Amino acid sequence: MRIVIIDYGAGNVQSVMFALKRLGFKAKLSSNEEEIRRADKVIFPGVGHAKSAMCQLMEQRLDLLIPQLKQPVLGVCLGMQLMCNFSEEGETKCLGIFDLDVLKFKEGNKIPKIGWNNISDLKTPLFNKVEEGEFMYFVHSYYVPLAKETIAQADYGGCYSSAINKNNFYGCQFHPEKSGDAGEQILKNFLEL
Amino acid sequence: MLTKRIIPCLDIKNGRTVKGVNFVDLIDAGDPVELAKIYSKEGADELVFLDITATEEKRKTLLELVSRVGESINIPFTVGGGISSVEDVDLLLKAGADKVSINSAAVKNPDLINRLADKFGSQCIAVAIDAKQIDGEWKVHLVGGKVPTEIDLFKWAKEVGRRGAGEILFTSMDNDGTKSGFANDALAKMNSLVNIPIIASGGAGNILHFVDCFEKSNVDAALAASIFHFKEVEIKELKQELSRKNIAVRF
């Protein structure tokens, strides 16, 4: 199986590579259009700021490529947020794969949210063999509200999308690569889609 | 619900664990990777590796270790100790660290916090603060607590948050090593003043100290070293007790 992790200079992709290695898969880090198109599975990682990440994607014309992909794509954390329409972080126009906006957590919550939170109302085969209420590791300041695309929820002063899905595109706000055995199961499920 | 985190801390010198580690079932107790795996299995929510090496070989050994840890465990880990530049952080994150913790370098050059947060995102920049009370005032100390400064702990904590740190790791030197409990009053005060997660460190001696800390200060995480290494407190038992006291933890 050809697994490509999109390389656009953002995010520490090493932990995703390590997690795949533990599962017995080797992934390639690439920003090459052909290589990404030909992959069986594409992982779109990301940490950092939405605006600078979008700039980096645009520089490499990946902003045009990603929405056209036909194979299963998994956006992680900022990667998931960038697949939405718009982010309040830097008032950034994003890829528009999901017709959803990314909002900042309200005052009263500590920002960033850091730590383990249970996820619930799990849908789609992405969560095969994952129990309701399983804990995942989250680190973020912005969130995607609940929507028809929501396939898992979490709570932080109100419920929001901890994972979303539309056609071949999946996104998870938490870090499956850092979420223990259950997180690795989610990565495995993605590779089996 | 977001749970309170329990974080074992490993002191690393020349790629090995130091400061008394007593895992009887472990052949090589000094290998940080083996310890990391055990803590991860026992339910630790994160790990902190504090590098106390002071040699020129430091970076290479540490980076190799970070990669080995990253390959081996599926929970987040932070690396701290002697980090003073954007380049240091870049290398550690590329090697597989999830977060870094900076201490003295941030006090000497507070702009470093802004630069690191801008470049890598707040979420992977923790600022460690060592402090103790002098004439009743909490003062920040540097170089592993050896050098006192005139800086007020709470002012500094607020500034660190404003400059973009993602969390604060506060070690009370008055409590560290005493096994008499965390500095709950200072932690509670800090928690009311800053809007980023706080990790309590220094003073844990038994399970009740963790319960006390979370109940009295409501901080986000608690860190300890020797009591975990010497199995005086087992993480599983600790979490069961926290849960009994209605403090949310992950199992």
Side-chain angles (χ1 to χ4, degrees), chain A residues 17-83:
Chain A
M17 298 278 259
F18 283 149
L20 294 173
K21 195 173 163 189
R22 282 193 296 274
L23 291 170
F25 295 95
K26 198 169 163 20
K28 178 145 198 210
L29 196 58
S30 176
S31 57
N32 178 280
E33 182 173 338
E34 260 319 292
E35 218 159 29
I36 296 171
R37 269 191 205 282
R38 286 205 326 266
D40 299 307
K41 299 285 185 318
V42 174
I43 296 177
F44 178 32
V47 292
H49 196 281
K51 187 124 214 159
S52 54
M54 273 310 293
C55 286
Q56 281 164 305
L57 286 173
M58 286 193 281
E59 263 173 40
Q60 303 181 57
R61 300 178 63 82
L62 292 167
D63 60 317
L64 304 175
L65 172 68
I66 296 170
Q68 296 173 13
L69 293 173
K70 297 285 181 271
Q71 66 275 62
V73 178
L74 179 66
V76 175
C77 197
L78 181 63
M80 157 176 150
Q81 296 183 358
L82 294 177
M83 294 198 295

Side-chain angles (χ1 to χ4, degrees), chain A residues 21 110 116 118 139 178 180, chain B residues 1 3 45 74 123 191 220:
Chain A
K21 195 173 163 189
K110 284 200 175 184
W116 296 80
N118 50 337
V139 189
K178 283 288 159 187
Chain B
M1 176 177 245
T3 61
D45 296 306
N74 54 19
Q123 78 291 330
N191 204 36
D220 305 275

Side-chain angles (χ1 to χ4, degrees), chain A residues 115-178:
Chain A
W116 296 80
N117 200 141
N118 50 337
I119 56 170
S120 60
D121 208 4
L122 310 179
K123 292 173 188 141
T124 78
L126 191 67
F127 294 105
N128 276 349
K129 297 182 199 162
V130 178
E131 279 179 45
E132 280 288 324
E134 189 62 75
F135 287 97
M136 295 289 146
Y137 185 75
F138 290 80
V139 189
H140 61 123
S141 305
Y142 294 80
Y143 71 98
V144 176
L146 294 179
K148 63 179 189 301
E149 294 91 342
T150 303
I151 55 169
Q153 310 187 7
D155 174 42
Y156 199 54
C159 287
Y160 66 94
S161 296
S162 61
I164 51 178
N165 164 239
K166 183 182 170 189
N167 305 322
N168 56 317
F169 293 96
Y170 291 80
C172 44
Q173 183 60 67
F174 51 86
H175 287 269
E177 75 280 12
K178 283 288 159 187

